[in-house]
Amino acid sequence: MMHVIQGTNVNDVYSQGYRLFRAQGQPDTSRAGDVWALSSPLTVIYEKPCQRVLLDPSRDSNPFFSLFESLWMLAGRNDATWLNRFIKDFSSRFAEEEGRQHGAYGFRWRKHFELEGGGSPYLPDQLETIIQLLRKNPNDRRVVLQMWDPVADLGANVRDVPCNLTALPRVVAGKLDLTIFCRSGDFIWGTAGANAVHFSVLLEYLANKLGLEAGKMIHIVNNPHVYTSVFNKLKSPYHFAYPGVHGLGAGDSNWDEDLNMFMDWTSRPVLGSTPEFKSRWFRGTAVPFYLSFVQWRLGDIQQALWLMRHQRSFMAPDWAAAGMAWLERREARAKEKAS
């Protein structure tokens, strides 16, 4: 039997999944601890995957990590230490001693197979290859985005190998759908968490490049589970009116240049002056969102909140709402601790 969840957006999917695991989850063990697992694979269908920001306060998803990990992936990076600014122990949990994440999806999308001798010598970047193939033939059924490498991954003694194996883009009625196959997925942190963001960003990026709308996203998980220690702390989620979406605008000819400039800028020991980004999405959302997080990380939560409030009208409304709520929860905790 296949479990199926179909929802409008990630908040809808998360709510349904929470109830499914409460009703049908069975105790099991895993490499990383005790879990509640479903006895059959799970298919998750997002009707509007670009409504990707999880807003449930009990889940308390870190929207800054979610967004910037997605950009890190699109840039083809595997330097997990860059992500430590959002989750302090990220590289110590998922990277090898030199700070490289073995199974980093973005690196697999853009560089890995070329560096290890696979892929086309002329088009080693899988994303660029996919864009060119679907521009030439939107009905091409041989277009596959690969993440699992049996040579590098099967039986490898490393901290991280890809959980998500393959993604299949498909043009349907003028929209781009994306189907992802996953060997084993934690529903809370992965499937309805980080995966919902970075794969929908990938879908929107490809669709923008092809001049198409983003369609459905289907995520098929062979071994769906939730970690017991995490799941037991969560409260029953409730529904939110989704705040709205500003598209990436990745079809803009300046978008990839701005992505690389953003990654270079944020990788500096000292940020310095803000580069002149040409893309509206980077100017209006990525930059103020990042600067607000930097202020919080420096310990100035009031300045972080001030930046969010004064830049909110320019930002994507869903990221703005999530960022503000996340910071306000931390402000409330700090005040409670001080009292």
Side-chain angles (χ1 to χ4, degrees):
M1 180 187 74
M2 174 76 74
H3 297 282
V4 178
I5 294 174
Q6 181 164 356
T8 303
N9 56 43
V10 69
N11 296 281
D12 190 5
V13 163
Y14 174 74
S15 179
Q16 291 186 54
Y18 177 92
R19 295 195 298 271
L20 175 62
F21 277 95
R22 284 289 183 210
Q24 299 191 39
Q26 300 176 5
D28 203 350
T29 58
S30 77
R31 175 182 53 83
D34 292 339
V35 297
W36 289 100
L38 299 179
S39 59
S40 301
L42 170 67
T43 293
V44 177
I45 303 168
Y46 298 88
E47 297 167 357
K48 296 181 178 180
C50 294
Q51 293 185 4
R52 58 177 69 95
V53 184
L54 188 57
L55 300 168
D56 185 77
S58 172
R59 168 64 175 82
D60 194 31
S61 177
N62 182 338
F64 300 95
F65 172 74
S66 297
L67 178 60
F68 295 119
E69 184 194 31
S70 301
L71 297 185
W72 178 79
M73 289 182 180
L74 281 182
R77 303 277 285 259
N78 67 352
D79 52 335
T81 50
W82 188 85
L83 295 171
N84 286 346
R85 67 200 67 200
F86 308 105
I87 297 178
K88 289 183 178 180
D89 62 348
F90 187 90
S91 64
S92 64
R93 290 162 58 195
F94 299 109
E96 302 310 301
E97 291 184 1
E98 70 275 20
R100 176 183 62 88
Q101 187 178 357
H102 175 84
Y105 294 138
F107 192 82
R108 298 288 173 110
W109 297 343
R110 292 196 177 272
K111 299 175 182 177
H112 167 88
F113 292 98
E114 184 260 343
L115 291 177
E116 304 226 350
S120 164
Y122 304 108
L123 293 170
D125 182 325
Q126 291 192 81
L127 301 189
E128 285 301 316
T129 306
I130 285 169
I131 291 163
Q132 293 195 29
L133 289 171
L134 289 177
R135 279 176 179 165
K136 184 178 180 181
N137 178 13
N139 295 318
D140 195 332
R141 293 171 185 160
R142 296 184 176 184
V143 177
V144 177
L145 177 62
Q146 189 65 22
M147 287 164 277
W148 179 267
D149 177 357
V151 175
D153 300 329
L154 198 58
N157 183 22
V158 292
R159 287 179 176 153
D160 173 71
V161 296
C163 296
N164 294 281
L165 314 175
T166 302
L168 304 177
R170 181 186 178 192
V171 179
V172 180
K175 296 183 180 182
L176 186 70
D177 291 354
L178 188 68
T179 300
I180 306 113
F181 292 90
C182 176
R183 61 175 178 82
S184 180
D186 163 35
F187 184 82
I188 302 298
W189 298 109
T191 308
N195 293 167
V197 179
H198 51 238
F199 281 116
S200 66
V201 167
L202 171 65
L203 167 58
E204 185 179 356
Y205 175 84
L206 293 174
N208 286 175
K209 294 296 185 184
L210 293 166
L212 302 172
E213 291 183 48
K216 297 188 297 297
M217 187 168 78
I218 302 98
H219 202 166
I220 301 169
V221 184
N222 187 56
N223 187 322
H225 57 271
V226 295
Y227 289 102
T228 305
S229 59
V230 174
F231 196 56
N232 287 348
K233 296 176 183 178
L234 297 175
K235 298 177 182 178
S236 180
Y238 49 93
H239 292 283
F240 295 85
Y242 200 79
V245 175
H246 281 179
L248 294 175
D252 186 323
S253 59
N254 300 308
W255 205 91
D256 290 285
E257 180 183 341
D258 279 356
L259 170 62
N260 291 328
M261 186 160 55
F262 181 85
M263 296 304 300
D264 290 343
W265 174 58
T266 56
S267 297
R268 298 173 189 171
V270 179
L271 279 178
S273 59
T274 305
E276 294 185 9
F277 294 99
K278 297 177 181 177
S279 301
R280 177 188 172 192
W281 186 85
F282 277 97
R283 293 196 311 270
T285 295
V287 169
F289 206 59
Y290 185 79
L291 291 176
S292 179
F293 182 82
V294 168
Q295 291 301 317
W296 177 79
R297 181 60 81 194
L298 291 173
D300 193 343
I301 194 165
Q302 294 306 316
Q303 181 65 13
L305 285 165
W306 184 89
L307 280 169
M308 288 292 297
R309 292 187 182 111
H310 283 76
Q311 296 296 321
R312 190 167 184 170
S313 61
F314 302 102
M315 295 175 65
D318 45 4
W319 289 114
M324 181 68 73
W326 191 86
L327 289 169
E328 287 174 343
R329 286 194 291 271
R330 274 137 192 86
E331 180 187 39
R333 290 175 193 173
K335 288 180 178 178
E336 183 179 353
K337 186 176 180 180
S339 64

